[in-house]
Amino acid sequence: MDRYLVFGHPVRHSKSPFIHTLFARQTQQELEYGLAEPAVDEFAQALRTFFDQGGKGCNVTVPFKEQAFTLVDCLSPRAKRAGAVNTIKLTDDGVLLGDNTDGAGLVADLKSHGVTLADSRILLLGAGGAARGALAPLLAELPSELVIANRTHTKAQQLAAEFHDLGPVTAQAYEQLAGPFDLVINSTSASLQGELPPLAPALIHTDIAIYDMMYGASDTAFISWAKQHGARQTMDGLGMLVEQAAEAFTVWRGIRPGTKQVLRELKRNLGVI
Ligand code: NDP
């Protein structure tokens, strides 16, 4: 049977085996999908061993995405832009292809929630790996403006300069942000510690859409905060997780699984519904 897995550390909490097993059942593909948690300095060896032993493809998550970028034989254009790899496929001619499906997953999820990206003013919080992966797919949707704000402002400036050729992207310090924005995407890891990015409450209004890439069984700190300040449309990153997985599954198997039912099952599994 074709073997796939996700590499991460820690990775025991990963929902990827659950999601891909449902995708395989739905599309009648024969495959198994597991977990691998190599020590941080043993990822390269573990990756080699997995493919030497007949593995067909893998996902890569924290903290290995940047390292995976350097270990594959070739890169998709979107992985090259993202500077990180979250999906690897062993092609028929034995080449390890590195791809990045995170940004496509984000955009697919935003669209499935009915969020309009074209001509909209987007505020992206954070300038880490997730922000980098999101920038090209977001700019491809032709927003009127995309502003990056980050705690370490120089990183936001660096990202804006790097992606400037793809669209109207600028960096602004948190305290200088001027609204109104149509959509705020939180790609910081602040919610992981129950913290908030230093965003002025005045930027939140009733018609704004709020997206937190983090997810959990209850509202993230950022979503709770945004609701308190009047945001009516709030979304967490669970849909992005399922959509980036669907994109990876399509890269591996050449068949696109449906996501709605799988997302429902995942929410049930997490106790959200
Ligand atoms: P990184 O570590 O690469 O970047 C973290 C970012 O968060 C940096 O910009 C950092 O700012 C900022 N940050 C951290 N703490 C705070 C704080 N207290 N206040 C303000 N800013 C803060 O992480 P990733 O980009 O890889 O991941 C970010 C988030 O996205 C994580 O929560 C991750 O779980 C989520 N994610 C979700 C996915 C999904 O499928 N739903 C996929 C990928 C990521 P600074 O530069 O100043 O340090």
Side-chain angles (χ1 to χ4, degrees):
M1 198 182 295
D2 289 349
R3 286 172 50 232
Y4 297 84
L5 51 71
V6 55
F7 284 100
H9 196 117
V11 82
R12 258 159 282 181
H13 64 281
S14 172
K15 304 293 173 204
S16 292
F18 183 84
I19 296 170
H20 283 286
T21 302
L22 291 184
F23 284 163
R25 196 176 304 157
Q26 179 203 114
T27 56
Q28 297 175 332
Q29 297 283 298
E30 292 244 337
L31 60 88
E32 59 179 36
Y33 189 107
L35 297 169
E37 193 174 273
V40 170
D41 57 352
E42 286 170 7
F43 170 60
Q45 183 55 47
L47 188 72
R48 230 179 339 263
T49 304
F50 171 66
F51 283 107
D52 285 350
Q53 292 178 349
K56 292 285 184 194
C58 65
N59 285 127
V60 181
T61 187
V62 180
F64 299 131
K65 289 184 191 183
E66 284 78 16
Q67 208 184 332
F69 182 84
T70 67
L71 293 171
V72 292
D73 300 319
C74 64
L75 292 161
S76 68
R78 58 189 178 181
K80 212 174 277 177
R81 265 287 179 183
V85 158
N86 80 333
T87 301
I88 301 178
K89 173 186 178 164
L90 180 66
T91 65
D92 291 341
D93 29 4
V95 168
L96 283 189
L97 169 69
D99 199 355
N100 190 309
T101 65
D102 280 336
L106 169 69
V107 167
D109 192 38
L110 284 165
K111 286 183 175 174
S112 83
H113 282 96
V115 176
T116 304
L117 298 169
D119 288 327
S120 66
R121 209 166 167 247
I122 302 175
L123 173 60
L124 178 63
L125 308 178
R132 177 180 283 279
L135 274 168
L138 283 173
L139 289 167
E141 297 298 320
L142 306 178
S144 61
E145 193 180 357
L146 198 162
V147 176
I148 309 171
N150 191 49
R151 186 174 57 181
T152 311
H153 183 52
T154 49
K155 279 210 242 167
Q157 287 175 310
Q158 226 169 317
L159 264 194
E162 211 175 300
F163 284 83
H164 192 64
D165 60 318
L166 295 185
V169 55
T170 57
Q172 282 172 29
Y174 274 105
E175 57 278 11
Q176 281 165 359
L177 290 170
F181 291 98
D182 302 301
L183 167 65
V184 177
I185 301 170
N186 182 19
S187 85
T188 76
S189 51
S191 287
L192 281 175
Q193 291 90 36
E195 290 172 7
L196 292 168
L199 195 63
L203 289 171
I204 307 299
H205 54 87
T206 49
D207 295 329
I208 201 166
I210 298 287
Y211 196 98
D212 194 344
M213 287 194 190
M214 222 194 101
Y215 53 85
S218 52
D219 279 350
T220 66
F222 185 65
I223 285 182
S224 298
W225 176 86
K227 279 182 176 172
Q228 276 165 26
H229 291 94
R232 287 188 303 208
Q233 187 178 18
T234 57
M235 298 150 277
D236 75 10
L238 199 60
M240 174 180 174
L241 179 75
V242 174
E243 294 291 350
Q244 65 75 27
E247 187 77 14
F249 192 93
T250 309
V251 168
W252 294 327
R253 309 299 297 185
I255 179 166
R256 181 169 288 277
T259 50
K260 281 204 167 67
Q261 181 63 25
V262 173
L263 183 56
R264 244 191 320 272
E265 295 281 334
L266 188 57
K267 284 183 176 166
R268 208 168 288 139
N269 180 265
L270 278 170
V272 181
I273 53 171

